[in-house]
Amino acid sequence: MRHLLPLFLSLLALFAQAQPEVLSTATQTARYRINLAAGELSPISGGSASGRIESLQASIRYGELQLNYSLAPTDDEEQYYLTKLTASLNGQPLLLAPEQIKGDIGRLGNGGAKQATLTGLLDRFINLEGELSITLTAEQWGEFVLPLGINCDEPPTFTGKQRLPYLIAAGVGAASIGVGQLIKQQSDDTYNNEYLTAGSLSEAQPIYEDANNKHHTYLILTYAGSAILAVDAVLYIIRGARHQRRLKLFRQYCEDGRSLGFEPLFELPSGLQPSGRAGFKMTLNF
């Protein structure tokens, strides 16, 4: 068991690395009326765009069936396609040998216009006549990139420290409104107790200007504080909603879909297995 530990750690490190996986799969079928011996091929339904497959068309050339199709470009240089062709005649599968399919089929480095040829059909099939269905399957392979910058090694967080700027902004907005209310009270007191009781116009004028300036200050602080609170609340809601989305995706891709587990394994003796075995079974889900 001690000698198996380095091997186990090596396998675990290998699986921990980013592995290519199927990002998307597209399938497109084109149907034709065919009489290969007479060189006749007429479409019944064409292969229009379907996912990453942009087109699929067939034609007869020198007694061979030539297929032209187009794939959408891959999203980056590390991605590639795995394509395969299947065909049926009058509802029955045509068993094509791998060497009969020539050209752009199998692993393809990028999208664009492709061409494949089905060869030796007259030699393999005595009478290729009737309704022909050709199906192209294209798998897009590459390293899966988690959305919203999610890293499976770092669960999304929205801690008290991350919330602190929003709380500070809310405090500033509330304090601004509170100070504005105090200044408003001072403005009202100056206006009611000093301006209205002044003995002359010359005495009342500076008192009025002081009360008016305080009132303007109250309005500025109130409007500014309200704006700060409104903007802060919107940003906090957006940040919280984004955190919930990231947390949901993290649980979906990093916890539910990609897990490593161990379970005991016991095998009792049987006719084909004269001795029993005991150990552990490792399961790794991607």
Side-chain angles (χ1 to χ4, degrees):
M1 183 68 182
R2 182 176 56 189
H3 300 292
L4 295 177
L5 184 59
L7 176 60
F8 170 75
L9 293 177
S10 299
L11 289 173
L12 189 60
L14 176 63
F15 282 120
Q17 298 176 358
Q19 299 293 319
E21 56 186 284
V22 180
L23 303 180
S24 66
T25 302
T27 302
Q28 181 58 267
T29 299
R31 297 168 56 234
Y32 294 87
R33 183 68 59 184
I34 187 171
N35 185 339
L36 186 59
E40 298 174 354
L41 184 71
S42 57
I44 299 175
S45 63
S48 56
S50 173
R52 308 293 293 187
I53 302 175
E54 297 180 338
S55 64
L56 172 63
Q57 295 180 341
S59 60
I60 294 177
R61 185 177 177 84
Y62 304 120
E64 298 178 333
L65 195 62
Q66 182 173 294
L67 307 175
N68 293 280
Y69 65 96
S70 180
L71 301 175
T74 55
D75 298 325
D76 61 57
E77 295 180 354
E78 300 299 323
Q79 296 179 3
Y80 58 90
Y81 284 104
L82 286 181
T83 61
K84 70 174 182 178
L85 286 169
T86 57
S88 65
L89 183 67
N90 298 323
Q92 299 299 317
L94 286 179
L95 301 180
L96 300 172
E99 60 271 14
Q100 284 186 271
I101 307 176
K102 308 292 186 181
D104 299 322
I105 206 68
R107 177 165 176 163
L108 305 174
N110 202 342
K114 308 295 179 182
Q115 186 177 93
T117 304
L118 303 184
T119 65
L121 295 178
L122 289 176
D123 298 332
R124 188 176 179 87
F125 304 101
I126 299 175
N127 185 19
L128 202 64
E129 181 180 1
E131 183 176 312
L132 175 70
S133 293
I134 302 170
T135 299
L136 171 69
T137 301
E139 294 179 343
Q140 181 187 5
W141 284 73
E143 180 181 342
F144 180 73
V145 179
L146 292 173
L148 298 179
I150 294 174
N151 184 349
C152 284
D153 296 328
E154 299 178 4
T157 59
F158 193 25
T159 62
K161 184 177 180 180
Q162 293 170 314
R163 290 182 169 93
L164 186 59
Y166 301 97
L167 298 177
I168 293 174
V172 170
S176 178
I177 294 175
V179 172
Q181 291 298 318
L182 292 176
I183 295 177
K184 180 180 182 298
Q185 185 62 46
Q186 295 175 2
S187 173
D188 293 342
D189 292 342
T190 301
Y191 184 85
N192 294 325
N193 300 329
E194 297 182 35
Y195 172 73
L196 295 180
T197 60
S200 63
L201 181 61
S202 59
E203 181 185 353
Q205 185 63 31
I207 298 174
Y208 174 80
E209 291 178 357
D210 180 48
N212 190 49
N213 289 336
K214 290 178 179 178
H215 185 76
H216 286 160
T217 302
Y218 145 72
L219 291 176
I220 292 172
L221 289 174
T222 300
Y223 291 150
S226 300
I228 291 173
L229 285 176
V231 172
D232 182 62
V234 171
L235 292 178
Y236 183 84
I237 292 173
I238 293 174
R239 178 67 176 82
R242 185 173 186 271
H243 169 67
Q244 291 300 321
R245 289 198 303 271
R246 296 182 77 244
L247 191 60
K248 180 179 179 181
L249 291 171
F250 176 84
R251 289 169 178 166
Q252 176 183 349
Y253 291 109
C254 302
E255 293 182 352
D256 298 339
R258 299 164 182 256
S259 60
L260 177 66
F262 296 89
E263 59 182 277
L265 176 63
F266 298 96
E267 293 184 359
L268 298 176
S270 65
L272 298 178
Q273 181 70 37
S275 61
R277 292 187 298 175
F280 289 93
K281 176 182 179 182
M282 181 181 73
T283 57
L284 182 63
N285 296 324
F286 290 92

